[in-house]
């Protein structure tokens, strides 16, 4: 419940009076600010107060306004004692524990009591590998127990697995689960409180496992601004009595740099999808000051004070024996410091661009703000929120304090504002607990220490943002360098910067409690377990994965939400009909299903090598440098090229390779900067194998390989594909074309860049399958060496190519999605 404070309760005149008057020290800015008055546009007889906010991406702002998704997409709970609370591999899903006990006493043993059976035997209710006791005849087995959940939430309970899933379950006397037939169970959600033992009865009508698991439902996102205001009760001044975002007519937000001077009244409703400190800061200053306020932003992401925003008085210096650039200097190709040559980036370029963008507004103030033309303006203060980029460099960290002092002096001089106050927020995008980040935090705190910097005494104040940190589990994202996009953090930072500015004026202010209000239950941020740690609990996960996750995944095809999409759709795999557009990237939604089966120890549905040995076989090959040169390292090198004379039909079955001067060599083919060595010591990708030393040197830019192989008879219920290995990692592989019997069946125009890729090659769909099944076929590949790396920089040539055939057995549920007759052998 938000308690609203009308503006008349907190008149600005109580706070201000005049800057020299006693009432300034008598009034205290409260934690909850009054609602802004829509009619108040600020005093018209005083200069507008301009505050320049700058820094890097956190000043630009990543606080989410609304739309935060739940931290976990799914939360499952198991009563099996083998389960360790964790996240499921490759999933945004959590697995938690809940307790099942024989009585409601605190020392009760786990499990339940089968009171319907003679002797009322104890049953390991919830243990997947346990077995239900046998009943007399066809009588059901009724088990009484008490369950305890770890969080206040809404739950759905699932009983049994396989035959034992035919059951009825009640919690607190309410039926929550019923399955009478092969149809899906009827589930009824129930709200449960933690710390209580809730009566549970499960009546099993089938035999087998007494498995018991739950799913937490109605999961809600946390940490966006709507959540902060409505659920946590923070910052009530941001919404009006009708629940709509308020707007300050007396505070204008000017986006000087990124928005080229665009301006609008400050409001959560118009600020965009995300925000920075300006929202909290602007609301404080609008409340405190009688004059109109302009918060002017000059910020962009990924900028360091030690290089990009380096101010003019920061000169060249030596750090650990290496020269570091000063203002308007740069590094040449050899890393030597030289004066800026008029091209490209230089130390301080972002400082110059920030300054120019601010100047562009202030120098045209009357045109930008005709409503303030008669009042003029005063650059009253600066707000600084930055530091993460500098923490990545020991050289920048060592000079941060000096560079920040130079920035304060430079901008005061530049904007003729010698008395302008500076409010600084420590900002490394994390808690700043260790390493360079901690040193940057300390430098930011030091700058306002009057003993260390007496010139800044009383006119520079630093706030420590570390208490405002919020974990990813209560935030819209898991991005620590952007404070997990948590709106409460960004509001607390901005609000504290505003209150620090009030205190620099001589005012008094109460600060909000930095701790997150304990009003909403949050889930823990859980680890992902190693395969070894998962092994003991794979059986316990089977009912959840086989009875819930996999059926839901299959049932959604082809309408699987975009965040679950994973390449080629299951319907295409099931039908084996070629899509209208064939890609050389073989990743499919079937791979996701395979991952689910492997999670619970089922390896029946996995892509496996089959057929003739190709990957290490003898191939005919020819390598050449094409006449069509590509000297620019940017982009992929795969391109149309002229083949050597007489090789126009090189991929056809009857091509005479020996007559054309081809050689024979064993795969894989490759080179690493001209050497016949593997691309990396350890690959780990079953579709790559680039850690295998090439058997044959890939000599020149273009490689042609071909060979004839006897293909196997294809089995019912299986799918087949030809894989081209050697390009499964970031900044690896190049474009290639794959041919079968002279027909190009797929083509990939380039390699992988920042992120590694999946398998490459071609599926043997029904349009190809009759031509190859149980026949001798000619497989051929045209490939190019890679010659660029990170950010398209030129790099030594690399390449690695091998080819093989794979098969997979389709899970029955996949085959049933869109059944299609198998090809005739």
């Amino acid at each position: 419940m938000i308690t609203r404070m009308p503006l008349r309760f907190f008149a600005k005149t109580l706070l201000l009076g005049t800057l020299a008057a006693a009432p300034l020290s008598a009034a205290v800015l409260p934690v909850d600010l009054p609602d802004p008055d829509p009619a108040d546009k600020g005093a018209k007889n005083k200069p507008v107060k301009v505050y320049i906010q700058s820094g890097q991406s956190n000043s630009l702002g990543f606080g989410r306004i609304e739309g935060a998704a739940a931290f976990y997409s799914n939360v499952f709970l198991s009563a099996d004692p083998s389960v360790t609370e964790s996240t499921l591999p490759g999933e945004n899903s959590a697995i938690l524990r809940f307790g099942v006990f024989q009585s409601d006493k605190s020392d009760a043993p786990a499990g339940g009591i089968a009171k319907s059976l003679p002797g009322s035997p104890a049953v390991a209710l919830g243990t997947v590998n346990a077995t239900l006791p046998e009943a007399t005849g066809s009588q059901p087995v009724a088990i009484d127990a008490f369950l305890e959940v770890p969080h206040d939430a809404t739950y759905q309970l699932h009983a049994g697995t396989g035959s034992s899933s035919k059951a009825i379950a009640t919690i607190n006397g309410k039926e929550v689960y019923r399955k009478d037939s092969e149809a899906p169970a009827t589930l009824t959600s129930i709200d449960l409180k933690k710390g209580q033992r809730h009566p549970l009865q499960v009546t099993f009508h089938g035999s087998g496992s007494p498995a018991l698991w739950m799913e937490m439902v109605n999961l809600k996102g946390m940490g966006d601004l709507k959540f902060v205001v409505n659920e946590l009760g923070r910052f009530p001044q941001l919404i009006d009595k009708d629940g709509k975002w308020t707007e300050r007519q007396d505070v204008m937000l000017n986006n000087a740099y990124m928005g080229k001077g665009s301006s609008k009244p400050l409001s959560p409703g118009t600020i965009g999808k995300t925000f920075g400190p300006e929202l909290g800061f602007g609301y404080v200053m609008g409340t405190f000051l009688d004059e109109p306020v302009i918060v002017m932003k000059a910020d962009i992401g990924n900028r360091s004070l030690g290089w990009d925003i380096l101010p003019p008085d920061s000169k060249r210096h030596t750090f650990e024996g290496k020269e570091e650039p000063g203002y308007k200097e740069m590094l040449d190709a050899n890393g030597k410091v030289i004066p800026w040559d008029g091209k490209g980036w230089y130390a301080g370029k972002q400082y110059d661009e920030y300054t120019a963008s601010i100047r562009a507004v202030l120098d045209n103030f009357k045109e930008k703000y005709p409503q303030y033309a008669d009042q003029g303006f005063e650059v009253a203060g600066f707000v600084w929120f930055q530091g993460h980029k500098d923490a990545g460099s020991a050289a920048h960290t060592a000079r941060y304090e000096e560079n920040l002092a130079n920035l304060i002096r430079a901008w005061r001089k530049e904007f003729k504002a010698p008395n302008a106050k500076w409010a600084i927020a420590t900002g490394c995008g994390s808690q700043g607990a260790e390493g360079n980040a901690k040193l940057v935090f300390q430098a930011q705190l030091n700058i306002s220490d009057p003993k260390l910097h007496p010139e800044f005494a009383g006119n520079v104040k630093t706030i420590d943002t570390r208490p405002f940190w919020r974990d990813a589990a209560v935030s819209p994202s898991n991005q620590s360098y952007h404070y997990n996009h948590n709106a409460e953090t960004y509001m607390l930072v901005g609000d504290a910067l505003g209150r620090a500015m009030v205190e620099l004026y001589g005012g008094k202010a109460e600060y909000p409690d930095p701790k997150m209000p304990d009003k909403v239950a949050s889930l823990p941020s859980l680890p992902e377990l190693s395969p070894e740690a998962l092994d003991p609990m794979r059986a316990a996960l089977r009912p959840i994965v086989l009875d819930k996750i996999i059926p839901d995944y299959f049932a959604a095809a082809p309408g699987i939400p975009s965040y679950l999409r994973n390449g080629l759709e299951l319907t295409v795999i099931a039908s084996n009909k070629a899509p209208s557009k064939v890609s050389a990237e073989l990743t499919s939604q079937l791979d996701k299903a395979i991952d689910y089966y492997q999670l619970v120890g089922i390896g029946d549905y996995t892509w496996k090598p089959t057929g003739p040995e190709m990957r290490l076989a003898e191939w005919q090959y020819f390598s050449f440098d094409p006449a069509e040169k590509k000297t620019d390292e940017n982009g992929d090198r795969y391109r149309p090229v002229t083949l050597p004379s007489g090789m126009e039909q090189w991929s056809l079955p009857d091509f005479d390779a020996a007559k054309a001067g081809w050689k024979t060599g064993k795969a894989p083919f490759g080179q690493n900067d001209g050497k016949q060595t593997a691309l990396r010591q350890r690959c780990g990708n079953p579709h790559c194998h680039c850690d295998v030393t090439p058997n044959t040197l890939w000599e020149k830019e273009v490689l042609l390989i071909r060979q004839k192989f006897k293909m196997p008879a294809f089995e019912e219920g299986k799918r087949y594909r030809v894989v081209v290995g050697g390009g499964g990692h970031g900044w690896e592989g190049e474009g290639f074309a794959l041919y079968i019997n002279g027909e190009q069946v797929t083509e990939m125009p380039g390699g992988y860049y920042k992120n590694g890729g999946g398998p490459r090659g071609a599926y043997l769909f029904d349009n190809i399958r009759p031509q190859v099944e149980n026949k001798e076929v000619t497989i051929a590949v045209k490939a190019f060496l890679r010659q660029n790396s990170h950010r398209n920089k030129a790099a030594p040539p690399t390449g690695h190519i091998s080819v093989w055939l794979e098969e997979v057995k389709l899970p029955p549920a996949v085959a049933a999605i869109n059944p299609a007759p198998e090809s005739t052998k």
Side-chain angles (χ1 to χ4, degrees):
M1 178 69 180
I2 293 178
T3 303
R4 312 211 58 79
M5 182 185 297
L7 186 63
R8 62 180 179 273
F9 180 80
F10 188 73
K12 292 183 181 181
T13 52
L14 288 178
L15 276 173
L16 284 174
T18 64
L19 287 179
L24 235 168
S25 59
V28 178
L29 192 74
V31 169
D32 290 340
L33 301 179
D35 290 358
D37 183 351
D40 182 10
K41 297 185 178 182
K44 297 182 179 180
N45 59 346
K46 298 179 182 180
V48 176
K49 297 283 189 181
V50 175
Y51 294 92
I52 297 167
Q53 176 184 311
S54 190
Q56 60 179 110
S57 56
N58 287 316
S59 176
L60 187 66
F62 280 87
R64 191 80 59 83
I65 294 289
E66 59 182 304
F71 182 63
Y72 295 113
S73 300
N74 305 94
V75 178
F76 302 107
L77 301 93
S78 174
D80 194 292
S82 69
V83 166
T84 298
E85 294 194 339
S86 57
T87 58
L88 297 181
E91 288 289 299
N92 186 32
S93 299
I95 179 72
L96 305 178
R97 289 285 309 278
F98 74 99
V100 177
F101 306 96
Q102 295 180 18
S103 76
D104 59 357
K105 295 181 180 179
S106 60
D107 59 350
I113 303 295
K115 294 183 178 179
S116 63
L117 299 181
S120 300
V123 179
L125 184 62
T127 301
V128 175
N129 278 341
T131 303
L132 287 167
E134 292 185 9
T136 303
S138 60
Q139 291 297 312
V141 177
I143 302 174
D144 291 283
F146 291 81
L147 65 80
E148 185 173 344
V149 295
H151 299 279
D152 295 352
T154 304
Y155 295 89
Q156 289 180 348
L157 182 133
H158 299 253
T161 183
S163 175
S164 65
S165 66
K166 292 182 179 180
I168 300 171
T170 64
I171 300 176
N172 296 336
K174 176 182 177 181
E175 185 176 297
V176 294
Y177 176 93
R178 175 180 287 270
K179 182 174 171 64
D180 300 318
S181 63
E182 297 304 319
T186 300
L187 305 175
T188 303
S189 301
I190 186 170
D191 295 331
L192 299 175
K193 296 286 188 181
K194 67 177 181 179
Q196 300 179 16
R197 295 281 172 94
H198 302 275
L200 165 71
Q201 186 179 73
V202 185
T203 303
F204 290 96
H205 290 267
S207 61
S209 169
L212 203 66
W213 60 277
M214 304 177 78
E215 182 178 8
M216 196 180 292
V217 296
N218 299 334
L219 301 175
K220 296 180 180 179
M222 302 175 73
D224 63 21
L225 194 59
K226 280 196 170 182
F227 171 86
V228 171
V229 175
N230 294 325
E231 303 296 331
L232 299 185
R234 294 270 207 182
F235 311 108
Q237 67 271 16
L238 297 179
I239 57 170
D240 61 21
K241 59 182 176 57
D242 297 321
K244 297 180 180 179
W245 296 121
T246 58
E247 183 174 278
R248 293 209 72 101
Q249 294 295 324
D250 55 346
V251 180
M252 300 296 292
L253 176 62
N254 185 291
N255 199 338
Y257 185 70
M258 293 294 287
K260 299 181 179 180
S262 60
S263 186
K264 53 193 169 187
L266 184 64
S267 169
T270 59
I271 206 168
K273 294 181 179 179
T274 59
F275 67 97
E278 66 278 358
L279 192 58
F281 178 83
Y283 267 71
V284 169
M285 299 313 296
T287 302
F288 178 70
L289 293 172
D290 192 35
E291 299 94 330
V293 172
I294 296 176
V295 180
M296 188 180 302
K297 295 186 65 175
D299 39 32
I300 193 174
N302 201 32
R303 297 294 186 263
S304 66
L305 180 60
W307 167 251
D308 307 285
I309 322 172
L310 195 70
D313 286 339
S314 292
K315 307 299 183 184
R316 185 186 305 191
H317 66 284
T318 301
F319 178 77
E320 295 183 348
K322 180 183 177 183
E323 268 199 328
E324 296 289 335
Y327 174 72
K328 226 149 194 180
E329 293 184 324
M330 62 183 294
L331 298 174
D332 66 12
N334 298 315
K336 182 181 178 182
V337 177
I338 61 172
W340 181 48
D341 63 4
K343 302 176 183 177
W345 205 262
Y346 58 86
K349 189 174 191 298
Q350 193 62 66
Y351 169 88
D352 289 347
E353 291 187 359
Y354 281 167
T355 302
S357 69
I358 298 165
R359 274 257 161 253
V361 177
L362 297 182
D363 291 349
N364 299 281
F365 185 80
K366 291 184 179 181
E367 296 176 12
K368 293 284 186 181
Y369 295 102
Q371 69 271 37
Y372 303 140
D374 296 335
Q375 297 172 246
F377 68 90
E378 170 196 359
V379 176
F382 294 84
V383 175
W384 182 253
F385 190 32
Q386 188 271 344
H388 178 263
K389 184 69 180 292
D390 290 273
S393 165
H396 295 174
T397 301
R399 299 265 291 188
Y400 193 92
E401 190 172 332
E402 178 183 341
N403 290 334
L404 184 53
N406 288 339
L407 178 67
I408 293 171
R409 299 186 194 105
W411 267 352
R412 281 176 170 172
K413 180 180 178 181
E414 173 70 31
F415 298 112
K416 297 179 175 59
N419 299 317
K421 316 298 184 185
W422 274 73
I424 298 167
T426 59
C428 285
S430 65
Q431 298 181 68
E434 57 187 18
N436 287 344
K438 185 176 182 180
L439 297 177
V440 171
F441 266 83
Q442 192 57 52
Q444 293 167 332
L445 293 170
N446 288 348
I447 206 73
S448 61
D449 186 332
K451 294 180 180 179
L452 298 175
H453 298 277
E455 66 177 300
F456 299 146
N459 58 72
V460 175
K461 187 177 178 65
T462 304
I463 62 160
D464 188 344
T465 65
R466 284 173 286 194
F468 306 154
W469 174 263
R470 300 293 183 260
D471 288 335
V474 294
S475 302
S477 80
N478 187 8
Q479 199 174 61
S480 63
Y481 52 89
H482 287 149
Y483 294 94
N484 298 324
H485 293 198
N486 191 284
E488 186 186 14
T489 295
Y490 280 91
M491 276 301 299
L492 286 168
V493 170
D495 184 86
L497 284 165
R499 292 170 193 273
M501 191 66 75
V502 167
E503 292 176 334
L504 288 171
Y505 278 128
K508 294 182 179 180
E510 296 176 342
Y511 285 77
D513 186 342
K515 294 182 180 179
M516 180 178 172
D518 188 18
K519 293 186 176 182
V520 180
S522 62
L523 297 173
S525 181
L526 298 169
E528 181 174 322
L529 301 182
S530 67
E532 294 75 20
L534 271 170
D535 285 343
M537 55 188 280
R538 292 187 192 277
L541 293 176
R542 283 196 176 194
I544 298 173
V545 173
L546 299 182
D547 298 342
K548 172 65 177 179
I549 295 178
I550 289 179
D552 283 358
Y553 183 72
F554 287 165
I560 295 173
S562 59
Y563 68 88
L564 283 177
R565 287 202 176 276
N566 195 20
L568 199 64
E569 292 185 355
L570 280 169
T571 50
V572 176
I573 299 293
S575 70
N576 209 38
K577 304 294 183 184
S580 58
K581 185 177 180 180
V582 176
S583 171
E585 296 190 57
L586 302 180
T587 301
S588 75
Q589 292 177 348
L590 178 61
D591 299 322
K592 189 71 172 177
I594 290 171
D595 289 342
Y596 288 139
Y597 284 110
Q598 290 181 333
L599 173 61
V600 295
I602 298 175
D604 298 347
Y605 314 112
T606 303
W607 285 105
K608 300 173 183 178
T610 190
E613 170 56 60
M614 296 183 185
R615 196 168 67 83
L616 302 176
E618 290 272 357
W619 291 70
Q620 298 169 323
Y621 76 96
F622 189 89
S623 187
F624 67 97
D625 289 322
E628 296 82 0
K629 303 299 181 185
K630 180 172 173 50
T631 56
D632 181 9
E633 66 268 18
N634 292 328
D636 301 303
R637 305 195 67 83
Y638 182 83
R639 61 196 186 278
V641 296
T642 302
L643 297 171
S645 178
M647 296 189 189
E648 293 79 7
Q649 308 298 320
W650 70 278
S651 63
L652 291 174
D654 58 357
F655 174 73
D656 192 335
K659 183 178 179 180
W662 286 43
K663 303 176 184 178
T664 59
K666 286 187 67 175
F669 296 81
Q671 73 147 281
N672 190 350
D673 191 13
K675 302 179 183 66
Q676 192 173 330
T677 57
L679 297 187
R680 53 183 70 217
Q681 290 184 342
R682 185 177 182 277
C683 172
N685 279 358
H687 54 265
C688 182
H689 299 293
C690 68
D691 56 349
V692 176
T693 299
N695 284 315
T696 304
L697 178 66
W698 183 339
E699 299 164 335
K700 299 181 180 181
E701 184 183 8
V702 180
L703 176 68
L704 306 177
I705 64 172
R706 52 170 283 134
Q707 191 53 275
K708 294 182 178 181
F709 297 97
K710 178 63 166 60
M711 300 295 268
F714 293 165
E715 297 182 42
E716 300 291 335
K718 290 187 177 181
R719 297 293 178 260
Y720 296 83
R721 66 189 188 186
V722 176
V723 179
V724 179
H729 306 274
W731 313 105
E732 189 175 278
E734 248 297 345
F736 69 88
L738 174 64
Y739 302 81
I740 296 179
N741 290 337
E743 179 183 349
Q744 181 178 305
V745 294
T746 194
E747 177 184 44
M748 190 163 188
Y752 290 115
Y753 284 81
K754 184 175 181 180
N755 300 313
R760 311 178 303 165
Y763 283 98
L764 300 182
F765 293 116
D766 282 351
N767 62 325
I768 300 174
R769 183 167 171 171
Q771 306 167 32
V772 300
E773 184 178 0
N774 209 17
K775 296 177 183 177
E776 184 178 74
V777 300
T778 298
I779 306 292
V781 177
K782 176 174 64 177
F784 287 67
L785 288 173
R786 189 184 188 100
Q787 298 187 46
N788 64 348
S789 63
H790 182 56
R791 293 184 177 176
N792 276 327
K793 292 181 180 178
T798 58
H800 198 281
I801 284 286
S802 57
V803 182
W804 63 94
L805 181 69
E806 288 186 343
E807 67 176 13
V808 66
K809 178 182 178 182
L810 292 184
V814 174
I817 290 174
N818 187 7
E822 298 288 341
S823 298
T824 304
K825 292 180 183 172

